[in-house]
């Protein structure tokens, strides 16, 4: 898009790529705790978009959308890092859930029910579901517990960065990929649907909730639980 003087029309480009900013923000928000607001990510993402428009040169040999996506995600990650969004409490909670699931699977020889996980953690089902909502996304399948340190910046760079750093792309190793596919197939049917819609069809939690006819918070809970199940299974790979 160019002006009558042959210059890049930055206002028109900003309007055109607002949907990209919104899509990236909504996809990222599902990996973050409830304290992070999607509007804040969108606002920061717009700054990243404006920065991309200023820095982009056709001679760089990449499409503008690819370049802009990297700048937008980078701006969002920088903001999250500054805010220190992942608390130690959230990490402890996610690991408590994961360990409870792991113990139950060994004891029962099957995938435990939600109510059984709550009982194992000595809390009412409603409290357990509330906990799932609070730690949403902090359990996304990642490898830092399987050999590297517990560094927040490392986590952000790996799991909220560009597409090549996405957890699904990280599992390029065929043995790991095969193990993950097998683990997903053991999830309860509804959780399999959620994983498929979120990771394969790139749907956000609100869209998934509409398909399943449940609340968005319920989808958030089930997403967190399914990721905890996967992490418990993947520890041996």
């Amino acid at each position: 898009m160019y002006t009558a003087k042959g210059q890049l029309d930055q206002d028109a480009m900003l309007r055109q790529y607002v949907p990209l900013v919104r899509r990236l923000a909504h996809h990222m928000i599902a990996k973050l705790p409830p304290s992070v607001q999607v509007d804040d990510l969108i606002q920061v993402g717009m700054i990243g978009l404006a920065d991309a428009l200023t820095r982009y040169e056709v001679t760089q040999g990449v499409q503008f959308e690819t370049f802009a996506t990297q700048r937008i995600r980078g701006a969002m990650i920088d903001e999250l890092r500054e805010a220190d969004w992942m608390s130690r409490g959230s990490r402890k909670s996610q690991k408590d859930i994961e360990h409870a699931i792991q113990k139950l699977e060994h004891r029962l020889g099957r995938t435990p029910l939600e109510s059984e996980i709550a009982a194992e953690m000595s809390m009412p089902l409603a409290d357990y579901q509330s906990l799932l909502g609070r730690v949403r996304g902090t359990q996304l399948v990642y490898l830092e517990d399987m050999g590297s340190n517990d560094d927040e910046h490392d986590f952000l760079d790996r799991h909220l960065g560009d597409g090549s750093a996405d957890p699904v792309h990280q599992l390029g190793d065929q043995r790991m990929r095969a193990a993950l596919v097998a683990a997903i197939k053991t999830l309860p049917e509804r959780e399999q649907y959620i994983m498929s819609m979120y990771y394969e069809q790139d749907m956000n939690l609100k869209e998934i909730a509409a398909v399943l006819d449940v609340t968005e918070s319920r989808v958030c809970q089930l997403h967190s639980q399914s990721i905890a199940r996967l992490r418990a299974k993947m520890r041996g790979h």
Side-chain angles (χ1 to χ4, degrees), residues 176-187 230 233-234 237:
M176 182 73 78
R177 185 184 295 275
L180 179 59
V181 170
I184 289 174
K185 290 180 179 179
T186 68
L187 294 175
L230 292 177
K233 289 183 178 297
M234 295 299 292
H237 296 274

Side-chain angles (χ1 to χ4, degrees), residues 161-188:
D162 61 28
S164 64
D166 186 271
V168 175
H169 291 87
Q170 282 196 337
L171 300 178
D173 175 80
Q174 291 304 308
R175 181 183 63 82
M176 182 73 78
R177 185 184 295 275
L180 179 59
V181 170
I184 289 174
K185 290 180 179 179
T186 68
L187 294 175

Side-chain angles (χ1 to χ4, degrees), residues 137-158:
T138 61
Q139 302 149 267
L140 194 64
V141 178
Y142 57 97
L143 307 184
E144 69 185 49
D145 285 345
M146 304 174 195
S148 62
N149 60 28
D150 195 39
D151 179 78
E152 285 99 339
H153 292 191
D154 186 53
F155 178 92
L156 287 168
D157 290 335
R158 279 197 251 164

